[in-house]
Amino acid sequence: LDFALGGQTESMSPEEAAAAVRTGRPAIVEARQEDAFLAAVRGGGPVRRAGEAEGFDYASGETVRLEIYAPGR
């Protein structure tokens, strides 16, 4: 994904991703961190799930599921 986006991505904690969505930026959250992300956004304004994607992590050799979140409407 990083290659497809031209290196314009940031790696951040679930709490930092929640803060990014609250400031109007989308966030891509790995499924294993989704619960922590949802806990961090709770009570901080509307957030919507905008999509999902599945991919392959070359570093770990595992399939990963990514959830895409955006500011709610």
Side-chain angles (χ1 to χ4, degrees), residues 8 12 32 46 48-49 51 57 65 73:
Q8 299 296 313
M12 49 182 66
R32 64 186 174 91
R48 66 183 174 88
R49 188 168 170 266
D57 183 338
R65 186 170 50 91
R73 295 180 191 160

Side-chain angles (χ1 to χ4, degrees), residues 19-43:
V21 172
R22 283 195 292 274
T23 63
R25 297 167 40 203
I28 300 171
V29 179
E30 194 171 331
R32 64 186 174 91
Q33 295 183 325
E34 188 175 28
D35 288 343
F37 169 79
L38 292 173
V41 297
R42 197 168 292 126

